[in-house]
Amino acid sequence: MLASAPRDVLGRPLRDLRVSVTDRCNLRCRYCMPREVFGNDFPFLERDELLTFEEIERVVRALVGLGVRKVRLTGGEPLLRRDLPDLVARLCRIDDLEDLALTSNGVLLGRMAGELAAAGLRRVTVSLDALDDATFRAVSDTTIPVQTVLDGIVAARAAGLAPIKVNAVLQRGVNDDQVEDLAGWARDTGVTLRFIEFMDVGTTNQWKRDRVVPAVEVADRIAARWQIEPIDPDHPGEVAERYRYTDGAGEVGIIASVTRPFCGTCSRARLSAIGELYTCLFAAEGHDLRALVRGDADDTALRASVSAIWSRRDDRASELRAADGLQGPRVEMSYIGG
Ligand code: SF4
């Protein structure tokens, strides 16, 4: 049942929801979870603080009632959440939820792809910032070989998860030498690659504008190797600038949040693992829905609360980013799943 779909102050609908199911991860990517901050003594969320699967399902049902059509499961690393396929099965039973996806670092995908597909998951996005093993280990601050992630992608395909998308965050002087190799590998492997501009998400990744590889440069480098042509967005709010290889080898995309922000059509909210609703990736804090869900609010009250939150939304952080980046407190990416 669709209650009146709220629009925010800029007229943007609420269509996409990213659901973080844990703030923990088995990698320590420097641009997201630097180990010196997220070390062994970091106060990660305790299990009883996390929304249960029943509670997540209830929130998602309420937001589908407000117009959400796409849900993406994230983390931290979502595959670390025990029994995750049960949540997938629950969400797949929600009428009007048109698209359920998951973003993973791929380390556990080899083990779990079959179960996730059997539970109803249709597609997966894997974060992979380098093909070169040494670069991969340096960017992810791990001893896990890149082959583990590559094997996870093969397992996802074998389990019928498709399309498989791969996201690569580019940093100048760190992995920007990987552009052509990643693009070539994606063409040969048949995965849809997305390059992502390095963003000042949170306040721990020591972002500097000169470490951003602008989308225009990435597109030029790809075009220097393969003929490409732009593809029109599938729907309003699509974040990637997409290019088709004219030789039929699929497409490649670039998410240019820094150099070509797309706040004007941003229809995305994020739910933290403890039930806070964030209306922007760069927000300082979220709105507590857990108290409502664990209190005596019914679904109508839950929808009304979210509708009121969204109607007051005027976020456009990327458009307002100053030359030296965003200022002030900001939630960490690992906490709300990027
Ligand atoms: S900066 Fe905020 S408002 Fe802009 S696109 Fe990103 S999440 Fe949306």
Side-chain angles (χ1 to χ4, degrees), residues 12 199 239 257 261-268 270 279-283 313-319 321 326:
R12 300 167 292 186
M199 293 181 278
V239 296
S257 170
F262 35 79
C263 303
T265 56
C266 178
S267 55
R268 186 163 302 103
R270 293 162 170 89
T279 56
C280 176
L281 177 58
F282 302 98
R313 176 195 189 226
D314 61 359
D315 301 281
R316 53 192 193 96
S318 280
E319 286 177 356
R321 180 183 285 108
L326 294 167

Side-chain angles (χ1 to χ4, degrees), residues 65-129:
L66 293 174
V68 164
R69 290 294 170 266
K70 176 178 165 183
V71 165
R72 178 175 293 280
L73 297 176
T74 68
E77 169 50 38
L79 301 190
L80 286 175
R81 179 80 185 252
R82 204 182 309 153
D83 303 327
L84 188 72
D86 296 351
L87 176 61
V88 168
R90 279 173 176 277
L91 299 181
C92 284
R93 290 196 290 266
I94 299 178
D95 294 337
D96 297 332
L97 181 57
E98 295 165 1
D99 186 11
L100 177 63
L102 177 141
T103 298
S104 167
N105 62 27
V107 170
L108 297 174
L109 201 49
R111 248 184 270 164
M112 295 186 66
E115 265 186 275
L116 292 165
L121 189 70
R122 287 290 155 267
R123 62 190 189 88
V124 66
T125 298
V126 178
S127 306
L128 177 65
D129 304 313

Side-chain angles (χ1 to χ4, degrees), residues 56-247:
I56 294 173
E57 180 186 352
R58 201 175 147 216
V59 172
V60 171
R61 273 185 192 286
L63 272 67
V64 167
L66 293 174
V68 164
R69 290 294 170 266
K70 176 178 165 183
V71 165
R72 178 175 293 280
L73 297 176
T74 68
E77 169 50 38
L79 301 190
L80 286 175
R81 179 80 185 252
R82 204 182 309 153
D83 303 327
L84 188 72
D86 296 351
L87 176 61
V88 168
R90 279 173 176 277
L91 299 181
C92 284
R93 290 196 290 266
I94 299 178
D95 294 337
D96 297 332
L97 181 57
E98 295 165 1
D99 186 11
L100 177 63
L102 177 141
T103 298
S104 167
N105 62 27
V107 170
L108 297 174
L109 201 49
R111 248 184 270 164
M112 295 186 66
E115 265 186 275
L116 292 165
L121 189 70
R122 287 290 155 267
R123 62 190 189 88
V124 66
T125 298
V126 178
S127 306
L128 177 65
D129 304 313
L131 282 178
D132 170 70
D133 194 50
T135 307
F136 169 79
R137 293 180 193 224
V139 174
S140 315
D141 190 1
T142 182
T143 56
I144 296 169
V146 69
Q147 193 57 46
T148 303
V149 177
L150 299 173
D151 293 346
I153 292 170
V154 171
R157 170 165 292 126
L161 296 173
I164 295 175
K165 290 187 179 167
V166 167
N167 286 348
V169 176
L170 287 178
Q171 297 175 72
R172 176 113 35 227
V174 174
N175 64 334
D176 57 326
D177 63 338
Q178 298 283 299
V179 169
E180 290 80 4
D181 290 353
L182 278 166
W185 166 81
R187 284 168 49 88
D188 299 342
T189 318
V191 301
T192 301
L193 180 63
R194 300 268 187 268
F195 289 108
I196 302 180
E197 289 183 341
F198 176 38
M199 293 181 278
D200 43 352
V201 184
T203 57
T204 63
N205 69 6
Q206 298 174 358
W207 183 85
K208 290 267 182 309
R209 190 175 281 273
D210 61 13
R211 285 171 55 200
V212 175
V213 183
V216 65
E217 178 184 330
V218 177
D220 287 349
R221 285 173 62 175
I222 292 172
R225 184 77 74 85
W226 302 278
Q227 199 178 10
I228 54 174
E229 59 189 15
I231 303 174
D232 292 334
D234 261 353
H235 55 79
E238 184 166 46
V239 296
E241 299 172 6
R242 299 165 57 203
Y243 299 89
R244 175 184 303 110
Y245 292 109
T246 57
D247 64 1

